[in-house]
């Protein structure tokens, strides 16, 4: 029997609540399938670790998880620590050195969930956003000079490499080809950003030639926000820069009903390093410790993890279990307007896993 080694990093805020729910569900999945199991190692990195050690994760931290099959991540962010420290010290400190350059964010309106877009039902909205996850606006290039003085200058330089752009656009075309619609929308801002974004467009045109069976179009990021709201059915697979996709994926989560549902995969497609799976909601300190965090984002991220591990039938079964549970309003947490608790949703999904016989 195959044993997958998973590194669980709950992080801060509701991270530990949703990750323990996720781990329970993964073990239940393994029991249900009977062909694989999980060995889950927990790492207590994050804000509390920082308060004790002055760093978000140990210096040799990446060596401790490098040989795991996948990473399940909760969230990073702490009310007493500046956000740029928590982000760069943990999440980006894993994503970037592990070259998880493809950040994949599916959006669908799951059964039982109502979109704030009046007319949109489930099937009209089925998107996957591919976020460039290794460079661009998050390259970390820049600095501050004359700190605190009137002359102070601060820069954040967006870095785009031809290789980096090519690999993410190619990844997105491949993903688009694997989906029924075979359509890719390339998000850009080449009217205002006349260097890197113009190269981005050129690379898209070049790579598109390798995918004659995929149709594609190009849209400016500001116009994209309008299109997502007004014509959601016109979109399928979407590729955008690190910052553009960061913003668009929050909009996507909102139109799909709740940020509490949205999943992410940070993929190293070449599999030289482990990939990392996480809900996109963040730490949510306002509800931490109350037992009401929505674990669906973590469960859906676990579906993506199972797919990445090659366990497609198990992934499909877990997704159906999730959809069964979202379809029943008794299992809606407060972010969805319900009163269910994390434990109720978890129990519901576990029951659906065992009940499913397909
Ligand atoms: C996301 C988040 C992060 C990001 C935050 C926590 C810095 O918003 O994963 O979308 O911007 O990358
Ligand atoms: Mg974001």
């Amino acid at each position: 029997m195959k044993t997958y080694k998973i590194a669980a990093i709950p992080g801060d805020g509701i991270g530990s609540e949703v990750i323990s729910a996720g781990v329970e569900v993964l073990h239940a999945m393994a029991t249900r399938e009977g062909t694989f199991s999980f060995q889950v190692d927990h790492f207590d990195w994050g804000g509390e670790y920082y308060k004790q050690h002055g760093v978000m994760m140990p210096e040799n931290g990446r060596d401790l998880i490098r040989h795991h099959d996948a990473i399940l991540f909760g969230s990073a962010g702490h009310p007493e620590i500046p956000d740029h420290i928590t982000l760069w010290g943990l999440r980006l400190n894993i994503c970037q050195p592990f070259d998880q350059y493809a950040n994949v964010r599916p959006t669908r309106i799951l059964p039982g969930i109502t979109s704030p877009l009046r007319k949109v039902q489930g099937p009209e909205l089925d998107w996957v956003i591919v976020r460039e996850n290794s460079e661009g606006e998050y390259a970390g290039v820049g600095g501050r000079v004359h700190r605190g003085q009137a002359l102070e200058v601060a820069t954040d330089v967006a870095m785009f490499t031809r290789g980096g752009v090519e690999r993410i656009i190619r990844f997105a075309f491949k993903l688009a080809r694997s989906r029924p619609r075979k359509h890719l929308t390339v998000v850009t801002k080449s009217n205002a950003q006349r260097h890197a974004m113009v190269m981005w467009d050129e690379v898209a045109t070049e790579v598109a030639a390798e995918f004659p069976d995929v149709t594609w179009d190009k849209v400016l990021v500001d116009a994209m926000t309008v299109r997502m709201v007004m014509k959601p059915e016109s979109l399928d697979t979407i590729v955008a820069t690190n910052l553009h996709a960061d913003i668009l994926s929050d909009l996507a989560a909102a139109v799909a009903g709740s940020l509490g549902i949205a999943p992410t995969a940070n993929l190293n497609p070449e599999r030289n390093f482990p990939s990392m799976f996480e809900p996109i909601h963040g730490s949510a300190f306002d509800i931490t410790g109350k037992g009401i965090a929505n674990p669906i984002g973590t469960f859906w991220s676990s579906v993506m993890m199972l797919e990445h591990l090659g366990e497609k039938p198990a992934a499909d079964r877990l997704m159906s279990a999730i959809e069964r549970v979202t379809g029943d309003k008794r299992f809606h947490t407060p972010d969805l307007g319900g009163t269910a608790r994390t434990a109720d949703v978890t129990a519901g999904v576990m029951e659906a896993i065992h009940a499913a016989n397909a």
Side-chain angles (χ1 to χ4, degrees):
M1 182 158 69
K2 174 120 188 97
T3 299
Y4 295 112
K5 275 180 72 178
I6 307 298
I9 309 174
D12 305 315
I14 58 171
S16 56
E17 299 166 49
V18 293
I19 293 304
S20 59
V23 168
E24 256 187 85
V25 160
L26 281 174
H27 284 310
M29 245 359 264
T31 309
R32 162 72 180 73
E33 299 296 306
T35 50
F36 59 83
S37 65
F38 290 106
Q39 176 198 318
V40 182
D41 298 321
H42 287 267
F43 297 88
D44 64 346
W45 306 338
E48 291 306 318
Y49 189 95
Y50 180 89
K51 280 166 66 186
Q52 281 171 34
H53 304 274
V55 283
M56 292 289 289
M57 63 189 269
E59 212 166 309
N60 69 339
R62 280 193 307 274
D63 294 331
L64 303 178
I65 58 176
R66 183 179 301 267
H67 299 293
H68 282 71
D69 294 299
I71 305 162
L72 190 61
F73 187 86
S75 82
H78 194 283
E80 295 154 40
I81 308 169
D83 287 339
H84 65 275
I85 292 183
T86 53
L87 176 68
W88 284 90
L90 188 56
R91 190 169 163 277
L92 293 184
N93 199 11
I94 297 172
C95 283
Q96 295 196 350
F98 279 180
D99 209 18
Q100 295 164 348
Y101 64 83
N103 182 283
V104 180
R105 303 185 162 194
T107 305
R108 280 199 288 127
I109 302 175
L110 299 184
I113 290 171
T114 312
S115 167
L117 299 184
R118 209 167 6 111
K119 284 179 284 188
V120 178
Q121 307 285 314
E124 287 113 359
L125 199 161
D126 183 354
W127 304 333
V128 185
I129 298 181
V130 176
R131 171 179 181 182
E132 200 296 316
N133 209 32
S134 70
E135 52 174 39
E137 308 87 347
Y138 283 58
V141 175
R144 287 173 73 170
V145 188
H146 306 305
R147 221 173 243 261
Q149 299 174 28
L151 285 177
E152 182 163 357
V153 180
T155 58
D156 271 295
V157 182
M159 298 289 292
F160 287 86
T161 62
R162 178 169 276 275
V165 174
E166 257 177 44
R167 66 183 182 175
I168 197 66
I169 301 254
R170 188 168 287 120
F171 179 91
F173 267 104
K174 277 191 197 154
L175 183 64
R177 183 158 68 187
S178 75
R179 290 168 52 85
R181 293 267 304 277
K182 298 193 196 311
H183 184 76
L184 178 69
T185 298
V186 177
V187 177
T188 186
K189 190 64 194 175
S190 48
N191 53 350
Q193 294 174 299
R194 59 188 178 154
H195 307 295
M197 286 291 89
V198 172
M199 181 178 82
W200 171 271
D201 292 0
E202 285 168 11
V203 169
T205 307
E206 285 164 27
V207 174
E210 298 167 23
F211 297 86
D213 52 334
V214 178
T215 57
W216 72 289
D217 56 4
K218 202 170 69 180
V219 56
L220 296 169
V221 64
D222 45 352
M224 182 66 171
T225 60
V226 178
R227 185 158 153 199
M228 285 167 72
V229 172
M230 304 303 287
K231 293 183 87 183
E233 72 291 347
S234 73
L235 297 163
D236 186 79
T237 311
I238 298 158
V239 64
T241 70
N242 214 330
L243 182 62
H244 290 166
D246 174 41
I247 298 164
L248 296 178
S249 59
D250 266 29
L251 175 59
V255 300
S258 170
L259 198 57
I261 292 172
T264 312
N266 299 279
L267 299 178
N268 172 247
E270 290 74 26
R271 296 172 188 260
N272 298 323
F273 300 97
S275 293
M276 182 158 82
F277 301 83
E278 55 170 339
I280 83 167
H281 51 60
S283 323
F285 285 104
D286 51 333
I287 58 162
T288 299
K290 294 188 176 160
I292 55 167
N294 191 343
I296 297 287
T298 300
F299 298 159
W300 195 349
S301 303
S302 305
V303 169
M304 299 182 84
M305 186 172 101
L306 286 165
E307 272 171 20
H308 182 76
L309 294 173
E311 300 292 348
K312 177 79 170 116
D316 290 346
R317 260 192 287 274
L318 179 53
M319 196 67 218
S320 323
I322 292 170
E323 292 183 22
R324 249 176 67 181
V325 163
T326 61
D328 184 341
K329 291 213 175 343
R330 285 179 305 151
F331 293 116
H332 286 192
T333 41
D335 56 303
L336 295 172
T339 54
R341 305 179 59 77
T342 313
D344 304 327
V345 186
T346 309
V349 168
M350 309 252 277
E351 205 186 297
I353 289 170
H354 290 297
N357 45 20

